Amino acid sequence: MKRYWEIDALRGLMLVLMTVTHLPTRLTDPLGQPFGFVSAAEGFVLLSAFVAGLVYSRIGHVRGVESMRSAFWRRVLKVYLCHAATLLFLFTVITGVGLHIDQPAVKNLVSYYLAAPRDGFLYGLLLVYEPALLDILPMYIFFMLMSPWVLAFAMRHGWLPVMVVSAALWAAAQFGFSEWVYGLAVRHLGLPVPYHEMGAFNTYAWQFLWFSGLAIGASRNAPGMRPLRFPAWLLVLAAGVALYCFYWRHTGINGQAPFGGDVERNLLFDKWLLGPLRLVNLVALGILAVRFGPWLMRKLPRLGWLEAMGSASLPVFCAHLVAVLLVLAFYGDSQTARPWWGDALLLAAVFTGMYLVARVSRGADVPPPADEVPTEPARA
């Protein structure tokens, strides 16, 4: 299957932005949510879902649903092992360093593990306990586990029922559905992990973004597929929304909090709940990217280092987590712990390390079945 260098470059860009956001430097706030009230996490999840829909639906159409499921399981196992290794690195090396030098940032990060080591270790491996920064891969694993069943259903019945259910779950999440499910788990299963230690991302909300990307990617393999086209009025509207949110984000006195201290109104743009106005901002940017992205890619020079990181997104993502955890252990979470030149050297060292990981991992992060899919359809 053809590999899209544009997608790799975009995923590489999302990894760069996430790294800048997670590393405590003077660039953390200015470059957080750089395009409006949308972060790199949304772009990374959407692109990952698009690629999954594109690759695995092709396997389903050509080799059959069982081969598609097997390909998903192999990918899930690889992602889980990467997450488990990162988690063990946090519980051993980072926690040991943090306790030795009495680093508050580390002790806050693993507070539940320090209070209940056995439960923290067990429920961490079970993807229930998710310390901050280590909550994206568990969500990705959950979505990948559900995806073969959803894709198989959509291949038979279409995407409309899937997206209706997904939108309903997203809406329920805005009104406390996750907390209600957590209450049931505590009451009937005796779950000991506090709610706030189960990851910042609301899975019931973010699944809508994942399945939207999965549907768009899978639709590219549908018979009679046509390029996505948007009417002129929608492009004008999307441009207006995107420009206004960009202006609001970078000129407003509240920075990344659109309404300052107004908690209720900020929920409309909330990242963790994927608030409704945040979705509007994201859709506007997506429409503009689809319409003008190909033209922009033809005008800009290809950046091989971005493509390399995007094509090896899983190991590079884990490398960025290791770097961020080491910085937290030795420097803490202060954004002004170093002078400007120190921040510049730190960022240069981290990005060099991520690029080297990408070069070493080149080809290792590509699902093998996708490259081996035959051109003729599988026989029944």
Side-chain angles (χ1 to χ4, degrees):
M1 178 175 282
K2 174 185 176 183
R3 190 165 189 102
Y4 293 90
W5 69 267
E6 302 94 333
I7 299 296
D8 286 338
L10 284 173
R11 288 207 291 184
L13 176 62
M14 296 302 111
L15 286 166
V16 168
L17 292 175
M18 278 195 287
T19 303
V20 173
T21 301
H22 293 159
L23 279 175
T25 70
R26 288 172 173 81
L27 294 178
T28 300
D29 286 337
L31 293 184
Q33 303 188 138
F35 305 116
F37 296 105
V38 174
S39 72
E42 287 93 324
F44 191 76
V45 169
L46 191 60
L47 288 169
S48 297
F50 174 84
V51 172
L54 189 70
V55 171
Y56 294 105
S57 67
R58 174 65 175 167
I59 296 173
H61 284 300
V62 174
R63 289 185 170 181
V65 172
E66 288 305 317
S67 292
M68 179 183 71
R69 287 198 182 103
S70 297
F72 267 114
W73 303 152
R74 287 192 291 270
R75 181 63 175 176
V76 167
L77 179 60
K78 180 184 291 187
V79 177
Y80 177 80
L81 291 176
C82 288
H83 174 70
T86 310
L87 194 70
L88 292 176
F89 177 73
L90 171 63
F91 288 162
T92 55
V93 176
I94 299 301
T95 300
V97 171
L99 292 177
H100 179 71
I101 64 176
D102 194 24
Q103 180 58 260
V106 171
K107 292 195 288 187
N108 290 335
L109 183 63
V110 293
S111 58
Y112 178 70
Y113 173 72
L114 293 177
R118 186 179 64 179
D119 284 347
F121 181 78
L122 174 62
Y123 284 102
L125 292 179
L126 291 175
L127 309 181
V128 177
Y129 168 45
E130 301 172 13
L133 300 175
L134 275 73
D135 50 0
I136 294 182
L137 289 185
M139 182 173 66
Y140 182 82
I141 291 170
F142 292 143
F143 294 159
M144 289 286 286
L145 285 172
M146 292 186 289
S147 291
W149 311 102
V150 172
L151 263 178
F153 178 89
M155 288 167 64
R156 292 192 299 267
H157 305 288
W159 281 98
L160 181 60
V162 172
M163 296 315 301
V164 167
V165 173
S166 181
L169 277 176
W170 171 84
Q174 308 304 306
F175 297 97
F177 182 70
S178 300
E179 292 84 346
W180 177 74
V181 172
Y182 173 77
L184 291 179
V186 171
R187 187 178 308 116
H188 298 291
L189 302 177
L191 181 67
V193 183
Y195 181 77
H196 66 275
E197 296 286 2
M198 296 177 66
F201 294 91
N202 189 305
T203 304
Y204 294 101
W206 277 70
Q207 55 77 32
F208 179 69
L209 186 59
W210 174 268
F211 288 119
S212 296
L214 196 72
I216 296 171
S219 70
R220 300 299 88 196
N221 288 320
M225 179 272 298
R226 296 180 180 180
L228 293 173
R229 303 291 186 190
F230 303 105
W233 67 266
L234 186 58
L235 290 173
V236 172
L237 180 61
V241 170
L243 288 172
Y244 181 74
C245 289
F246 179 84
Y247 175 82
W248 188 0
R249 158 68 182 92
H250 291 285
T251 63
I253 61 173
N254 298 315
Q256 297 191 53
F259 297 106
D262 192 329
V263 177
E264 292 298 323
R265 287 202 294 171
N266 280 333
L267 289 177
L268 296 172
F269 282 100
D270 189 72
K271 175 180 178 177
W272 315 119
L273 278 172
L274 204 62
L277 293 185
R278 194 177 193 87
L279 269 182
V280 171
N281 194 177
L282 178 62
V283 170
L285 290 171
I287 290 173
L288 296 177
V290 170
R291 174 59 183 85
F292 299 107
W295 171 83
L296 188 61
M297 290 295 186
R298 290 193 298 269
K299 298 296 181 181
L300 295 175
R302 289 181 61 171
L303 300 176
W305 61 279
L306 271 185
E307 293 176 41
M309 290 200 294
S311 65
S313 57
L314 178 58
V316 171
F317 179 83
C318 293
H320 118 273
L321 284 180
V322 169
V324 172
L325 292 174
L326 286 171
V327 171
L328 288 176
F330 288 102
Y331 288 102
D333 54 8
S334 172
Q335 298 178 11
T336 57
R338 296 162 300 277
W340 275 103
W341 61 267
D343 283 348
L345 288 176
L346 174 64
L347 288 167
V350 170
F351 286 133
T352 299
M354 290 168 61
Y355 176 67
L356 291 176
V357 169
R359 291 301 299 266
V360 171
S361 307
R362 173 170 282 183
D365 196 32
V366 180
D371 294 332
E372 298 168 6
V373 172
T375 54
E376 70 277 10
R379 301 182 184 275

